Amino acid sequence: MIITDDENRKYSAIVVDGIDKAPARSMLRAVGFTDEDFKHPQVGIASTWASLTPCNMHINGLADEVAKGVYFAGAKPVVFNTITISDGIANGYQGMKYSLVSREVIADSIETVAGCQGFDGLIAIGGCDKNMPASIIAMARLNRPSIFVYGGTIKPGKNHTDIVSVFEAVGAHARGDLTEEQVVQIEKEAIPGPGSCGGMYTANTMASAIEALGMSLPGSSAQEAVSPEKHKDCQRAGEAIKWLLKQDIKPSDIMTREAFENAVTMVIALGGSTNATLHLLAMADAVGVPLTLDDFTEIGKRVPVLADLRPSGKYMMSELIEIGGIAPLMKRLLEKGLLHGDCLTVSGRTLADNLKDVEDYPEGQDIIMPFDQPIKKDSHLRVLKGNLAPTGAVAKISGKEGTHFEGTARVYDSEELAMAAILDGTVVAGDVIVIRYEGPKGGPGMREMLSPTSAIMGRGLGNEVALITDGRFSGGSHGFVVGHISPEAMVGGPIALIEDGDRIIIDAVEDSITLDVPEGELARRKAAWAAPEPNVKRGVLAKYAKTVGSAAEGAITDRF
């Protein structure tokens, strides 16, 4: 049997055309392929559905909607799954070490399935922050016509609560401000159903960045998970992929240097998560675009923070959606010359064309501030360097917590030890909490520190202490916190040499982080230092530790 050739079937034709491919067709007939299906391009639909987290619990239904759109556009949809994990569940214990690792596992699995099966195009649906950049990394590696669909944000909980409210309630209980019954009540009411965490935490940050990058259809990042708009977004993605196939528009045509600058600009304007630095660096590397931490600094000099969104602000993503989402903000940034309007997007149009008919925000709203009244006149994402972080560290400084902190080190070699000290009152005003051996190699896995940062806020120490780590932070973390310190402790970075009582100086204006210890003393400590035994010797964490690079370069694993 010979299948009709189709110029849009660059990969699937190799798998199913010709008499010698009868075995492959026989297998596919068993899963529902017809004679007609073999004549059409095959589009893989990567679903990150799982019943273990609200971020992804609804995505199987969204995958069905995408498949309908693909089918009605005249292509053959093939749905497959990949894994996901839940940061909200794993935070605060050893399981969180698998979180950043999952980004690589998900990217590898999507690449593996799509590459093996010969899909001509790819649509991925992500709902939590690791599976989103993972999808883009896989698309970049495969470089076939691709679209990303965001699973959507969650609705607010009762009394304007969300997952961070629960984490902070734990700290408030330790301080004596909340009873156990009150904490449980917040626990029961904060998560009302499907969708990703409701503030400008990492999921909404990455969704917005990916739309600005051009890899999602207009509006995809600013829709609630349970909404008619999200279903339409899924169907439109199915239709759009056929156009991308016809024009042979690939991720490398869209994910250019200028497109990544647009993504960084959106992250800053929205007050987004520090995790965006890790993920955008990794995504750019996958497509061969040069991007460094210094680029965040340079772009941040000209881009203000304009969105009053959680965690440091008042509002949730659902409230931004009500006034128009991110599109009006993008149009404002474009008109100010802060976005590259000529970048191509998966809609088949340029960014400027996508925004041409977008209306501005309604009068009287105070979620997105005007340029002459910014939340912060320059970036909240500060890349700090100094003798404590020679290759860089990342802080999220909104300005509300101040821009300068000096204090004495209180050193912990794990998140658990630090968390116990925060909750039992050992940590006091003036301390700089140091959490080390939690970096990409040292953890391994570079755990988020949402539990300790939330405990600090809950205990009322948000303006009284600082926290530094070679680990990272949740998008929900706020306070005077510095993460991604590189080189990390496990490879002998200066953070490994800090001792209790050392003076540490953090300056988010000069973008410096300094360990106030004489060079000779640091040299003595360095000579006496020896790397600890790895925490794990086998399995995915061990493989990750052996291959992962520096957080300053995105913690990527495919530079052998």
Side-chain angles (χ1 to χ4, degrees):
M1 182 178 182
I2 298 176
I3 308 300
T4 305
D5 285 332
D6 186 318
E7 62 183 5
N8 303 321
R9 298 175 55 247
K10 186 183 297 185
Y11 299 97
S12 63
I14 298 170
V15 176
V16 301
D17 282 12
I19 191 64
D20 60 322
K21 299 302 181 184
R25 292 194 298 272
S26 182
M27 295 283 285
L28 290 170
R29 289 182 192 280
V31 299
F33 272 63
T34 66
D35 284 348
E36 190 64 24
D37 290 332
F38 291 120
K39 300 176 183 178
H40 299 296
Q42 291 184 32
V43 176
I45 301 170
S47 168
T48 58
W49 171 84
S51 63
L52 57 83
T53 170
C55 309
N56 297 70
M57 62 187 285
H58 62 301
I59 284 179
N60 54 344
L62 298 185
D64 289 341
E65 295 299 317
V66 171
K68 289 177 188 175
V70 170
Y71 180 80
F72 288 119
K76 174 61 178 175
V78 183
V79 179
F80 65 98
N81 262 88
T82 182
I83 64 146
T84 193
I85 55 90
S86 173
D87 292 353
I89 295 171
N91 252 295
Y93 97 109
Q94 293 289 314
M96 188 64 191
K97 293 180 177 181
Y98 289 92
S99 173
L100 188 58
V101 176
S102 76
R103 186 187 73 183
E104 311 310 306
V105 176
I106 295 164
D108 290 351
S109 68
I110 293 174
E111 177 193 358
T112 298
V113 174
C116 175
Q117 297 299 123
F119 296 141
D120 301 295
L122 181 65
I123 300 174
I125 314 158
C128 198
D129 53 293
K130 306 311 172 301
N131 54 56
M132 298 162 68
S135 296
I136 300 297
I137 290 168
M139 291 171 180
R141 292 174 183 169
L142 291 160
N143 204 30
R144 304 175 190 185
S146 302
I147 298 173
F148 178 78
V149 176
Y150 180 40
T153 191
I154 198 170
K155 295 179 183 292
K158 189 175 181 181
N159 298 320
H160 213 242
T161 52
D162 64 6
I163 184 61
V164 176
S165 306
V166 188
F167 276 97
E168 293 185 358
V170 174
H173 174 262
R175 190 185 185 191
D177 291 346
L178 292 178
T179 66
E180 183 175 347
E181 291 74 18
Q182 288 173 315
V183 174
V184 172
Q185 193 62 35
I186 295 169
E187 166 197 328
K188 290 180 176 178
E189 297 174 347
I191 312 292
S196 297
C197 299
M200 190 47 64
Y201 310 145
T202 307
N204 283 318
T205 296
M206 290 312 302
S208 301
I210 290 169
E211 183 174 331
L213 185 66
M215 289 300 293
S216 292
L217 291 173
S220 184
S221 69
Q223 295 162 341
E224 289 187 333
V226 181
S227 66
E229 291 76 18
K230 183 46 64 183
H231 277 215
K232 290 176 185 174
D233 180 43
C234 292
Q235 292 170 7
R236 288 190 304 127
E239 297 162 3
I241 195 70
K242 189 67 186 293
W243 189 90
L244 294 176
L245 284 163
K246 285 182 177 179
Q247 301 298 318
D248 195 28
I249 294 176
K250 301 178 290 296
S252 60
D253 300 315
I254 295 171
M255 295 165 62
T256 62
R257 165 71 189 202
E258 291 75 18
F260 275 100
E261 290 181 2
N262 287 346
V264 173
T265 296
M266 282 306 299
V267 170
I268 294 169
L270 289 166
S273 166
T274 53
N275 282 316
T277 61
L278 280 174
H279 297 328
L280 288 172
L281 291 173
M283 289 156 55
D285 184 81
V287 78
V289 168
L291 189 72
T292 69
L293 281 178
D294 291 338
D295 292 316
F296 285 82
T297 297
E298 289 305 309
I299 294 169
K301 291 176 181 178
R302 59 181 183 266
V303 179
V305 179
L306 298 171
D308 191 15
L309 296 168
R310 290 190 179 187
S312 55
K314 292 187 294 185
Y315 294 102
M316 293 191 185
M317 190 67 183
S318 58
E319 292 164 303
L320 178 58
I321 291 168
E322 287 178 6
I323 65 166
I326 70 166
L329 174 57
M330 292 175 73
K331 189 169 185 178
R332 288 184 180 186
L333 291 165
L334 180 66
E335 290 171 347
K336 282 284 186 180
L338 296 173
L339 290 178
H340 301 283
D342 57 350
C343 288
L344 184 64
T345 73
V346 293
S347 71
R349 302 186 299 170
T350 65
L351 184 70
D353 287 337
N354 288 343
L355 298 173
K356 188 180 300 182
D357 298 323
V358 169
E359 296 183 3
D360 198 19
Y361 294 115
E363 290 285 336
Q365 64 82 27
D366 62 349
I367 302 175
I368 302 296
M369 302 301 291
F371 283 94
D372 60 355
Q373 299 176 48
I375 304 293
K376 192 172 185 290
K377 64 181 179 62
D378 56 3
S379 180
H380 65 302
L381 296 178
R382 313 304 298 189
V383 177
L384 311 180
K385 294 185 179 180
N387 71 339
L388 185 43
T391 56
V394 180
K396 182 164 67 173
I397 305 294
S398 69
K400 297 178 181 179
E401 59 283 282
T403 58
H404 187 91
F405 195 98
E406 292 187 32
T408 53
R410 198 176 288 273
V411 184
Y412 301 97
D413 286 351
S414 73
E415 178 186 356
E416 285 83 358
L417 292 172
M419 184 67 175
I422 294 165
L423 293 177
D424 70 14
T426 300
V427 170
V428 296
D431 284 345
V432 178
I433 306 163
V434 179
I435 306 178
R436 63 189 180 192
Y437 295 106
E438 293 285 7
K441 288 183 178 294
M446 202 180 182
R447 285 194 283 180
E448 288 184 349
M449 301 294 161
L450 181 56
S451 291
T453 60
S454 297
I456 288 167
M457 301 305 292
R459 286 191 64 85
L461 292 170
N463 294 320
E464 307 296 331
V465 303
L467 187 155
I468 69 172
T469 180
D470 52 7
R472 60 193 178 90
F473 297 111
S474 162
S477 292
H478 57 124
F480 211 103
V481 296
V482 181
H484 307 200
I485 288 181
S486 302
E488 62 174 290
M490 194 66 178
V491 299
I495 189 173
L497 310 179
I498 303 173
E499 296 181 357
D500 282 338
D502 286 348
R503 195 79 179 162
I504 293 174
I505 305 164
I506 306 166
D507 191 323
V509 175
E510 297 297 326
D511 292 338
S512 63
I513 182 165
T514 305
L515 178 59
D516 189 18
V517 173
E519 289 185 14
E521 172 61 14
L522 288 179
R524 184 193 67 77
R525 294 181 190 179
K526 178 70 172 177
W529 177 84
E533 280 292 308
N535 290 324
V536 290
K537 302 291 181 64
R538 297 177 66 85
V540 67
L541 293 179
K543 285 188 284 188
Y544 182 83
K546 288 178 181 177
T547 58
V548 70
S550 169
E553 297 178 341
I556 59 177
T557 58
D558 52 1
R559 287 186 187 172
F560 304 116

